[in-house]
Amino acid sequence: MSTQRVDVTPAAAEVIEKLKELHGELVFNQSGGCCDGTAPMCYEKGDFYVPSRNIKMGEICGCEFFIDKDQFEYFKHSFITIDVREEKAAFGNSFSLEIDLGYQFITKSRIFTDDEYRQLLEEEKLQ
């Protein structure tokens, strides 16, 4: 059994699949805040340059999910779940693709159990 660092809720998966139909391949980036905010951002794969300092945490719905190196330090002991909420008021107020559909992706997290974290570290050593 493989331990993942990131996954999605069924509601978020539904929005991602809709976005893939509209835009093709996607990429996600969880930035460190400031101008980018703290919400996970979804882009068309060719429209986003992944900074070399960012770390790939995994894939969600077949889309790569990256996180800022400093943010990774906060989340490295956590399992991240990407969810979605309706956000009609933010229309056009973000570069993330889901905004134009009236949604915003959000990050939820929980600390890995000791067993999950041990297994994750062992799996990462093998890669």
Side-chain angles (χ1 to χ4, degrees), residues 1 3-4 76-79 110-121:
M1 181 180 147
T3 302
Q4 296 176 281
K76 69 182 177 184
H77 299 287
S78 301
F79 176 77
R110 68 165 174 82
I111 302 297
F112 284 116
T113 65
D114 289 342
D115 288 339
E116 286 174 327
Y117 194 65
R118 254 191 310 280
Q119 183 177 355
L120 183 66
L121 292 177

Side-chain angles (χ1 to χ4, degrees), residues 37-126:
T38 56
M41 303 289 281
C42 176
Y43 305 96
E44 287 185 32
K45 189 165 178 118
D47 285 350
F48 181 72
Y49 170 77
V50 178
S52 61
R53 64 179 268 123
N54 286 19
I55 296 168
K56 183 178 175 182
M57 289 198 71
E59 292 189 7
I60 54 174
C61 300
C63 307
E64 293 176 303
F65 187 94
F66 293 90
I67 190 166
D68 175 82
K69 180 183 173 194
D70 294 334
Q71 282 291 95
F72 180 77
E73 287 303 310
Y74 291 111
F75 284 111
K76 69 182 177 184
H77 299 287
S78 301
F79 176 77
I80 293 175
T81 303
I82 302 304
D83 201 357
V84 68
R85 68 176 177 205
E86 283 194 53
E87 191 59 65
K88 304 293 186 198
F91 183 81
N93 199 19
S94 171
F95 294 115
S96 194
L97 295 174
E98 78 283 0
I99 290 296
D100 289 340
L101 296 179
Y103 296 97
Q104 182 180 29
F105 290 116
I106 58 174
T107 301
K108 297 179 178 181
S109 66
R110 68 165 174 82
I111 302 297
F112 284 116
T113 65
D114 289 342
D115 288 339
E116 286 174 327
Y117 194 65
R118 254 191 310 280
Q119 183 177 355
L120 183 66
L121 292 177
E122 287 176 20
E123 291 168 2
E124 289 177 347
K125 282 182 192 175
L126 297 174

Side-chain angles (χ1 to χ4, degrees), residues 8-20:
V8 295
T9 63
E14 203 173 298
V15 172
I16 292 168
E17 292 304 325
K18 196 175 297 186
L19 290 171
K20 285 166 63 174

